[in-house]
Amino acid sequence: MPLAYWCILIAALMPYVLGKYARFGVESDNRYPREDYDNLPPKKRRAYAAHQNALETFPFFAVSVVIALTMGAPVYTVNVLAVLYIVLRIAHALLYIFNRPTARSLVFAVAMAVSVAIFVSPAFK
């Protein structure tokens, strides 16, 4: 199985890791769990925002990998780009949590460009 497929799994789990981090050590009411996020300290709220962003960007990344590999893009290229995407998404989450908005936005843009590169890679085989 190509490494890029494992990257899909990592990208799929990343939002849940960020969500758990956002709520770690915070008393929660399981009847209304989403209302707890309004009361989180700033760093934890930013982790929750990173969680939401990871959920929002995941579908395009996953579809891009599947399309690229099923349409005959070079597996090595897709693997390298998928790993780069994961590294960028981890950096994005950390920059979000530690309140570095300019760098975070730049990393977000590069990660989206990587997803686009994966998507169009079969056209350049």
Side-chain angles (χ1 to χ4, degrees):
M1 183 161 67
L3 177 60
Y5 285 155
W6 290 104
C7 290
I8 291 174
L9 177 62
I10 293 167
L13 296 175
M14 195 178 310
Y16 300 100
V17 171
L18 290 165
K20 286 295 182 188
Y21 171 77
R23 294 178 64 143
F24 183 76
V26 175
E27 191 171 320
S28 174
D29 181 353
N30 199 36
R31 292 174 295 171
Y32 307 103
R34 294 180 189 254
E35 292 178 14
D36 293 339
Y37 293 108
D38 294 336
N39 301 320
L40 293 174
K43 187 175 181 182
K44 298 285 187 156
R45 276 198 313 266
R46 290 190 301 272
Y48 181 64
H51 153 83
Q52 290 175 310
N53 187 267
L55 285 171
E56 293 163 359
T57 61
F58 171 72
F60 182 59
F61 167 70
V63 166
S64 294
V65 169
V66 172
I67 286 173
L69 291 175
T70 59
M71 295 301 296
V75 175
Y76 177 79
T77 301
V78 176
N79 284 342
V80 168
L81 290 171
V83 169
L84 177 59
Y85 175 85
I86 294 299
V87 169
L88 290 166
R89 292 303 304 172
I90 291 168
H92 177 268
L94 292 171
L95 291 166
Y96 219 136
I97 292 167
F98 292 104
N99 201 22
R100 302 288 186 250
T102 302
R104 179 192 82 222
S105 294
L106 178 63
V107 168
F108 172 85
V110 174
M112 287 304 293
V114 168
S115 285
V116 170
I118 293 169
F119 187 93
V120 302
S121 63
F124 301 100
K125 62 180 177 176

